[in-house]
């Protein structure tokens, strides 16, 4: 997405008026709906003034293209400054990472440096690594760059940073060679770098062509797994992903039975938890540190086994990818490292018979180093036990040092953290500023349909592209076909719709089997996995009434064990149980509605919830006209005022 675009001359004029910060902030507000803080505004003004000075050379054409805060497709990452033009033979794009740093400190982590920012001294990617990774992302996602032979030239400009032996240390040479770094006295060198590629201006609107160009199909972890296991770099880790990866490698290297370490990594859908986890698995084993990848649910493991069966022997794979109940009798410190993905799904005891002591404690006892990837908003089962607080408490009890960090970089849902915030607001999980879903600026389809057969037809059509579209549903229908193979499970008599739950014959590989588009998946077969397009049937366990999104656990199928035993819990502690049930059911639909990387289509059995979702989608185009839908705002009501009407529960609903 292009936030700000001018010619060099237009950019220089905006700087000259002393309003460049206001202009950029207004453009960001218009394109993304986000407000920019004062400190960031000052940084815009300061850094862009320095860039204007660098560009003030008659040999740099006045009609070169200038773009600021360019959003890379499929991600939530932004490029600070871009210059576009030609050298007479080739179209060129210069990507510049701007920093206001004045001091930094060396680390022993590849591509990682410490600098003063965010009010303290913090680890961050080296500016050359950042610039190079953004160029690599653009190269990977945008087919136009390759097909039209547009050259990308990344670099970094630290206009406040005096030369020292830190920022240009030989330790960072690999990335500095890919993206040179220019410091405080290097304005003339940066100018010379720009002039090498900008002999002529941009007469063909290069950045707009890239922005409107063809986006490559997004890589999925499952599709890239075989290559990763062979040691190839399939995903460019950016910013916080790189930091987490390097921090984990460093902790694993230093850990031993007398120095046990636990790293807790929090991150939402699409932040790269599984990508970082798999890359850690490969690298740690490559370094001779015996490491296993741990998940509670079998679906990710079964998909990985299927993708890797031609690369590794099954016996070896089953020793690399294991279940969370595998450590009940494991000797202490038997492994160098354990990587626990989807740690929120861990249970206290193991299996139906509730065996073992405590899964978290067993895992920590088994390895010198453990990393837990966790998302508290993906708790979808009454037995889900993994929380940051519990992991931290149990780690301290066994004498391990605890380290905590976060993943924020968003890739799923085409990089729109705004979609996730909107979804949280819509489901009334938490109030956010994203009251309306503004799809301007990111390529993601969201649609509410009026019938289940329309939803099915949409997914069937999308699936013809590359077998990456699936139907999923809340567990509100009994699994009759498990015992009666020809029976249909999800039936809508008034519509031309009858389908089965995912067949047992697929095992846990429902999401990748070419024929499984003819069945409906549930939370247990798709959590931790992704498709391009997802169609979600929201059952009667989630409804809308009088301004509130409510849950009705009684509408869950008796075959669903995710809230099994809730009636007894209601007698013991009704308030806590109600809160737990609300979280589980709303989290279930949040997870289902974030499985799609390119689009999500929804059908709601509750017509009022359907109308509410439609209303939330059309707010931007509404003129606050009168609506007859029960519980929705009337003409005189304002969105902010309307949000205050979310009241207490309706009897019988939570």
């Amino acid at each position: 997405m292009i936030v700000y675009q001018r010619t060099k001359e237009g950019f220089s004029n905006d700087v000259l008026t002393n309003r460049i910060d206001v202009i950029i902030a207004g453009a960001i507000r218009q394109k993304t709906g986000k407000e920019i803080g004062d400190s960031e505004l000052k940084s815009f003004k300061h850094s862009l003034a320095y860039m204007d000075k660098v560009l003030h050379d008659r040999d740099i054409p006045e009609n070169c293209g200038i773009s600021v805060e360019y959003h890379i497709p499929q991600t939530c990452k932004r490029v600070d400054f871009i210059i576009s033009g030609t050298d007479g033979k080739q179209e060129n794009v210069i990507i510049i990472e701007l920093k206001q740093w004045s001091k930094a400190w060396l680390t022993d982590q590849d591509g990682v440096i410490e600098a003063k920012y965010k009010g303290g001294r913090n680890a961050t990617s080296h500016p050359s690594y950042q610039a190079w990774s953004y160029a690599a992302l653009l190269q990977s996602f945008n087919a136009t760059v390759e097909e039209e032979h547009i050259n990308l030239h990344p670099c970094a400009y630290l206009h406040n940073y005096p030369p020292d032996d830190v920022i240009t240390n030989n330790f960072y040479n690999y990335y500095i060679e890919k993206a040179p770094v220019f410091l405080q006295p290097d304005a003339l060198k940066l100018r010379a770098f720009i002039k090498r590629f900008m002999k002529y201006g941009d007469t063909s609107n290069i950045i707009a062509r890239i922005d409107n160009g063809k986006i490559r199909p997004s890589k999925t972890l499952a599709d890239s797994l075989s290559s990763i296991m062979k040691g190839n770099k399939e995903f460019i880790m950016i910013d916080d992903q790189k930091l987490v990866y390097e921090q984990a490698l460093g902790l694993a290297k230093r850990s031993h039975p007398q120095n046990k370490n636990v790293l807790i990594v929090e991150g939402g859908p699409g932040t790269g938890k599984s990508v970082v986890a798999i890359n850690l698995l490969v690298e740690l084993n490559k370094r001779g540190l015996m490491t296993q990848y741990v998940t509670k649910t079998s679906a990710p493991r079964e998909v990985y086994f299927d993708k890797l069966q031609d690369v590794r022997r099954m016996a070896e794979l089953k020793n690399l990818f294991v279940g969370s109940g595998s450590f009940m009798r494991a000797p202490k410190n038997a492994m160098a490292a354990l990587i626990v993905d989807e740690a929120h799904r861990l249970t206290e005891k193991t299996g139906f018979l509730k065996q073992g002591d405590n899964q978290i404690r067993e895992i920590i006892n088994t390895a010198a180093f453990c990393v837990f990837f966790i998302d508290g908003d993906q708790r979808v089962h009454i037995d889900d036990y993994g929380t940051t607080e519990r992991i931290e408490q149990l780690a301290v009890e066994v004498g391990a040092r605890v380290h905590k960090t976060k993943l924020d970089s968003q890739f799923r849902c085409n990089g729109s953290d705004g979609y996730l915030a909107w979804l949280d607001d819509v489901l009334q999980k938490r109030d956010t500023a994203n009251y309306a879903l503004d799809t301007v600026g990111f390529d993601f389809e969201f649609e509410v349909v009026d019938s289940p057969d329309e939803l099915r037809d949409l997914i069937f059509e999308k699936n013809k592209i590359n077998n990456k579209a699936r139907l999923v549903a809340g567990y509100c229908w009994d699994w009759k076909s498990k015992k009666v193979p020809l029976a249909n499970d999800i039936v809508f008599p008034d519509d031309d719709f009858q389908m089965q739950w995912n067949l047992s014959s697929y095992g846990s590989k429902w999401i990748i089997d070419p024929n499984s588009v003819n069945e409906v998946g549930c939370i247990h077969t798709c959590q931790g996995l992704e498709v391009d397009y997802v169609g979600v049937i929201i059952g009667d366990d989630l409804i809308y009434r009088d301004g509130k999104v409510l849950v009705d656990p009684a509408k869950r199928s008796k075959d669903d064990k995710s809230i099994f035993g809730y009636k007894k819990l209601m007698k013991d502690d009704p308030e806590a149980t109600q809160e737990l049930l609300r979280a589980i059911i709303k989290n279930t639909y949040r997870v289902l509605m974030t499985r799609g990387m390119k689009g999500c289509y929804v059908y709601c059995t509750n017509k009022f919830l359907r109308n509410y979702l439609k209303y939330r989608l059309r707010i931007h185009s509404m003129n606050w006209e009168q609506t007859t839908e029960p519980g929705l705002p009337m003409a005189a009501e304002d969105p902010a005022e309307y949000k205050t009407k979310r009241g207490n529960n309706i009897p019988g609903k939570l």
Side-chain angles (χ1 to χ4, degrees):
M1 175 180 63
I2 299 173
V3 171
Y4 171 96
Q5 186 180 34
R6 301 283 193 275
T7 61
K8 174 194 152 184
E9 181 181 26
F11 167 71
S12 183
N13 288 337
D14 285 344
V15 173
L16 188 61
T17 64
N18 292 313
R19 296 188 69 254
I20 185 66
D21 52 337
V22 177
I23 293 169
I24 298 288
I28 290 175
R29 188 185 307 111
Q30 181 184 3
K31 294 293 181 71
T32 70
K34 295 181 179 179
E35 295 292 337
I36 302 299
D38 289 341
S39 60
E40 195 170 355
L41 278 176
K42 289 178 183 177
S43 113
F44 276 140
K45 192 167 189 174
H46 194 58
S47 293
L48 295 178
Y50 273 94
M51 280 308 308
D52 181 52
K53 291 177 184 177
V54 170
L55 293 171
H56 193 67
D57 186 293
R58 68 177 65 182
D59 291 334
I60 300 176
E62 293 294 305
N63 62 340
C64 279
I66 302 294
S67 299
V68 179
E69 292 289 291
Y70 177 73
H71 286 55
I72 301 173
Q74 308 274 6
T75 80
C76 60
K77 307 316 297 181
R78 301 175 299 180
V79 178
D80 289 337
F81 200 87
I82 289 177
I83 310 170
S84 56
T86 80
D87 59 9
K89 297 178 181 178
Q90 202 89 31
E91 291 184 319
N92 294 306
V93 168
I94 298 174
I95 291 172
I96 304 178
E97 178 68 18
L98 296 172
K99 298 290 185 193
Q100 299 214 38
W101 301 353
S102 57
K103 188 174 177 59
W105 293 265
L106 284 170
T107 74
D108 60 356
Q109 299 174 14
D110 178 68
V112 176
I113 199 166
E114 286 191 350
K116 277 189 177 179
Y117 75 107
K118 294 183 179 178
R121 177 172 159 177
N122 293 282
T124 184
S125 302
H126 188 282
S128 291
Y129 180 93
Q130 279 187 286
W132 165 76
S133 66
Y134 293 166
L137 280 174
L138 200 54
Q139 189 87 44
S140 297
F141 286 134
N142 199 291
T144 300
V145 172
E146 181 180 351
E147 292 174 0
E148 299 187 15
H149 307 291
I150 300 169
N151 285 345
L152 305 180
H153 307 279
C155 68
Y157 185 30
L158 284 65
H159 46 78
N160 293 334
Y161 198 105
D164 63 11
D165 61 351
V166 176
I167 200 75
T168 53
N169 193 278
N170 289 339
F171 182 65
Y172 302 112
N173 267 359
Y174 179 80
Y175 301 111
I176 293 174
E177 288 176 1
K178 293 176 178 294
V181 58
F182 300 97
L183 306 179
Q184 189 180 60
D186 294 336
L188 291 176
K189 292 180 181 178
L190 174 56
R191 179 182 286 174
F193 178 81
I194 294 169
K195 287 162 69 172
R196 281 171 52 194
F197 307 109
M198 298 294 145
K199 298 187 184 305
Y200 302 95
D202 182 357
T203 58
S204 58
N205 215 345
I206 297 170
I207 298 303
R209 281 162 43 217
I210 291 175
D211 194 54
N212 296 319
K214 185 165 59 177
I215 303 300
R216 297 181 194 276
S218 303
K219 293 179 183 178
T220 64
L221 178 59
D223 289 341
S224 303
L225 192 63
S226 176
S227 180
I228 293 173
M229 296 297 287
K230 291 175 182 176
N232 298 320
K233 302 292 185 184
E234 281 291 311
F235 294 90
I236 303 295
M237 282 182 282
I238 60 173
D239 297 348
D240 44 10
Q241 296 169 343
K242 176 68 170 174
L243 297 181
V244 169
Y245 177 76
E246 293 297 334
Q247 183 181 8
L249 290 179
L251 287 171
K253 180 181 178 181
R254 297 193 296 273
S255 297
H256 51 78
Q258 288 72 46
N259 181 33
K260 290 171 71 75
N261 287 277
V262 167
L263 176 62
I264 303 171
V265 183
E266 297 178 336
T271 52
K273 298 187 298 294
S274 296
V275 167
V276 175
I278 291 294
N279 277 284
L280 280 172
L281 174 72
V282 173
E283 183 62 25
L284 289 174
N285 279 297
K286 181 180 173 182
R287 295 185 182 190
L289 299 173
M290 189 175 295
T291 304
Q292 291 178 319
Y293 178 96
V294 184
T295 57
K296 164 65 170 64
T297 54
S298 61
R301 298 197 304 275
E302 291 295 332
V303 170
Y304 297 164
F305 292 157
D306 183 77
K307 295 291 184 179
L308 291 170
Q309 59 185 338
D310 296 331
V311 179
R312 303 279 184 95
R313 291 177 300 172
M314 188 57 68
E316 184 182 358
L317 291 175
K318 289 188 175 181
N319 192 48
L320 280 175
F321 299 89
V322 299
S324 57
S326 305
F327 306 99
M328 288 183 287
R329 299 172 186 85
K332 287 189 176 182
N333 302 309
M335 303 292 295
L338 291 175
I339 299 165
V340 187
D341 205 357
E342 305 284 322
H344 40 271
R345 297 304 318 276
L346 295 174
T347 55
E348 183 176 13
K349 305 290 185 180
T350 295
F352 178 73
L353 298 177
K354 307 294 184 184
Q355 296 176 305
D357 169 31
N358 178 296
Q359 282 194 350
I360 296 172
R361 184 183 290 115
E362 290 161 357
I363 288 168
I364 295 172
N365 279 332
T366 302
F369 171 62
C370 298
V371 52
F372 294 88
F373 291 90
I374 190 167
D375 178 3
D377 284 334
Q378 291 200 48
R379 182 180 185 183
V380 296
H381 197 289
I382 207 164
D383 290 334
D384 287 354
Y385 180 74
T387 66
T388 296
E389 294 73 24
R390 282 201 179 105
I391 295 169
E392 185 172 9
Q393 175 191 342
L394 291 166
V396 170
E397 286 178 8
V398 301
R401 295 182 181 180
V402 178
H403 313 262
K404 294 189 289 186
T405 189
K406 288 186 177 183
L407 284 169
D408 294 316
S409 301
Q410 223 282 320
F411 279 80
R412 190 175 288 143
C413 308
N414 269 4
S416 175
D417 48 4
Y419 170 66
L420 299 180
W422 176 80
L423 204 53
D424 283 347
D425 198 274
V426 163
L427 295 175
Q428 296 177 5
K429 283 175 55 62
R430 62 186 177 97
D431 284 351
T432 74
N434 300 70
Y435 191 72
L437 180 61
D438 188 355
T439 56
V440 175
F442 75 100
D443 185 19
F444 185 77
E445 298 177 28
F446 188 93
E447 185 177 344
V448 182
V449 300
D450 290 319
S451 67
D453 48 302
E454 183 182 354
L455 183 72
R456 176 197 56 207
D457 294 345
L458 262 172
I459 291 301
F460 280 4
E461 191 62 31
K462 293 293 185 182
N463 196 58
K464 292 177 183 177
I465 301 171
N466 56 2
N467 187 41
K468 290 184 180 178
R470 289 295 182 275
L471 280 167
V472 296
Y475 213 144
C476 297
W477 292 268
D478 295 343
W479 195 3
K480 301 173 185 175
S481 62
K482 188 173 184 179
K483 295 181 179 179
V484 184
L486 296 181
N488 285 303
D489 304 306
I490 303 176
V491 178
F492 292 91
D494 295 335
D495 295 280
D496 182 23
F497 189 98
Q498 49 185 10
M499 295 182 75
Q500 294 183 325
W501 280 117
N502 41 279
L503 299 178
S504 298
S505 57
Y506 296 135
S508 296
K509 296 184 289 188
W510 165 83
I511 206 163
I512 58 172
D513 191 287
N515 296 313
S516 67
V517 70
N518 297 298
E519 283 80 43
V520 180
C522 70
I523 187 67
H524 308 302
T525 49
C526 72
Q527 190 172 22
L529 300 168
E530 60 195 20
V531 289
D532 280 352
Y533 298 95
V534 65
V536 182
I537 301 173
I538 297 179
D540 284 340
D541 58 342
L542 191 73
I543 64 172
Y544 180 86
R545 188 178 298 170
D546 292 340
K548 293 179 286 290
V549 176
L550 305 173
V551 305
D552 188 352
K555 293 295 195 274
R556 283 284 181 103
S557 165
K558 65 180 183 297
D559 296 327
D560 176 36
K561 305 302 180 187
S562 62
I563 56 173
F564 183 74
Y566 82 88
K567 292 181 180 179
K568 180 180 181 302
L569 291 177
M570 284 287 286
K571 293 178 181 178
D572 298 337
D573 190 345
E575 188 173 334
T577 304
Q578 286 181 14
E579 184 178 348
L580 175 62
L581 291 170
R582 278 193 291 270
I584 287 174
I585 293 175
K586 289 184 178 183
N587 284 351
T588 296
Y589 286 111
R590 185 183 192 268
V591 170
L592 295 180
M593 294 165 75
T594 55
R595 294 309 90 190
M597 297 178 73
K598 294 184 177 181
C600 174
Y601 310 105
V602 176
Y603 170 73
C604 309
T605 57
N606 180 263
K607 67 177 182 179
F608 301 121
L609 181 63
R610 197 185 321 152
N611 290 334
Y612 165 67
L613 289 179
K614 286 184 177 181
Y615 167 79
R616 291 293 298 265
L617 275 174
R618 69 177 188 262
I619 285 174
H620 272 316
S621 62
M622 288 178 65
N623 194 19
W624 298 105
E625 70 272 18
Q626 187 82 6
T627 174
T628 58
E629 304 304 343
L632 295 185
M634 305 304 279
E637 293 185 332
D638 175 88
E641 180 185 336
Y642 166 60
K643 290 171 75 169
T644 66
K645 294 193 175 184
R646 297 174 181 171
N648 296 321
N649 299 330
I650 292 177
K653 304 293 183 290
L654 305 177

